[in-house]
Amino acid sequence: MLKAVLLFFNFASLFIHLKKKIMKQTMPINGKFSLAELPYAPDALEPVINAETINYHYGKHLQAYVNNLNALLPGSPFENLSLEEIVRKSNGAIFNNAGQILNHNLYFSQFAAPKENNTPSGRLETAIKQQYGSFNAFREAFENKGSTLFGSGWVWLSRDQAGTLKITQEHNAENPLKKGLTPLLTFDVWEHAYYLDYQNRRAAYLAELWKIIDWEVIEQRY
Ligand code: MN
């Protein structure tokens, strides 16, 4: 009897493990998307991003995009596509919600607890220094693109097929993969991303975000 119970729990935990593994990818589950898991506790990024912002931004805004997309997909030509394919091929409401899910998945999964003097290493560090002169010069260029984006959108660091780095401003739900680029790093400059913590001070939010970038994640994307 005990053996049977243990066997059941082994299978149950294997099933949960597989399900988590599937959820980490951005593929539909039974044609539906789920909220990607956060790789840290909601208060882990404080004081750069407070738990209240995570609760609204991740818990309410991102959840709403997931719910909207799940409601829009059935019967559409995009029903069985991966999230990236939907972003590449759709437009209108389906694109807006799919783009925002992809953008937020890349945004929330690139953070870790704050660190001072937090900079990249390895091949990415070399590429940044070659192209921008120094990490600080890159940082300044990136923050400037974020500060000067009018309205809602995202500032991105991407690489092209030759490995050249590009900083781009994308409006609303746009993602650089639609330009054939591979997205590496992104700062969300929609007001919902920073208003609770920084109010109208977008530049201050952009300057603080460097403390919580998990450069290992960015280097893996590169
Ligand atoms: Mn957002």
Side-chain angles (χ1 to χ4, degrees):
M1 178 61 190
L2 183 63
K3 269 190 180 169
V5 170
L6 285 174
L7 197 67
F8 171 77
F9 279 108
N10 274 341
F11 275 116
S13 71
L14 180 70
F15 176 71
I16 290 165
H17 175 76
L18 285 175
K19 202 171 164 206
K20 277 188 177 164
K21 222 176 153 184
I22 292 166
M23 277 174 65
K24 282 205 172 125
Q25 299 162 0
T26 49
M27 293 294 289
I29 301 163
N30 302 325
K32 300 256 181 177
F33 290 95
S34 301
L35 191 63
E37 283 176 85
L38 275 187
Y40 42 78
D43 63 355
L45 309 179
E46 292 187 353
V48 177
I49 296 177
N50 288 306
E52 196 189 11
T53 291
I54 296 289
N55 291 338
Y56 279 97
H57 192 189
Y58 167 80
K60 308 273 187 206
H61 287 275
L62 179 52
Q63 182 70 67
Y65 295 128
V66 171
N67 295 347
N68 291 344
L69 185 63
N70 285 339
L72 289 164
L73 281 180
S76 81
F78 308 103
E79 207 171 359
N80 297 311
L81 300 185
S82 72
L83 189 58
E84 285 80 359
E85 284 175 295
I86 298 173
V87 170
R88 278 198 187 94
K89 294 173 182 170
S90 66
N91 49 46
I94 290 185
F95 169 75
N96 287 337
N97 287 285
Q100 284 294 73
I101 297 170
L102 180 61
N103 296 348
H104 285 94
N105 287 353
L106 290 164
Y107 176 78
F108 284 118
S109 63
Q110 70 187 356
F111 296 136
K115 272 197 251 175
E116 292 297 331
N117 305 315
N118 185 28
T119 56
S121 59
R123 283 190 311 124
L124 181 59
E125 181 192 25
T126 307
I128 286 174
K129 286 188 173 161
Q130 273 174 359
Q131 273 189 248
Y132 299 96
S134 67
F135 178 71
N136 279 339
F138 155 73
R139 191 181 138 147
E140 204 176 301
F142 195 86
E143 284 179 35
N144 183 50
K145 287 277 188 194
S147 297
T148 57
L149 190 155
F150 185 76
S152 295
W154 304 76
V155 55
W156 294 88
L157 176 69
S158 304
R159 52 161 288 171
D160 69 11
Q161 285 181 350
T164 306
L165 298 172
K166 308 257 178 203
I167 301 173
T168 61
Q169 291 177 331
E170 306 292 340
H171 284 276
N172 300 320
E174 292 293 334
N175 185 296
L177 68 77
K178 289 184 76 173
K179 298 171 174 166
L181 300 170
T182 303
L184 306 173
L185 168 77
T186 189
F187 288 4
D188 185 347
V189 297
W190 283 59
E191 284 185 345
H192 68 219
Y194 59 88
Y195 225 79
L196 291 175
D197 296 321
Y198 300 89
Q199 296 77 48
N200 60 326
R201 293 172 295 122
R202 186 195 284 185
Y205 154 77
L206 296 172
E208 286 298 298
L209 280 184
W210 302 107
K211 292 179 185 162
I212 56 168
I213 299 302
D214 185 341
W215 284 105
E216 274 184 31
V217 170
I218 311 302
E219 283 154 27
Q220 279 166 15
R221 292 175 186 169
Y222 182 64

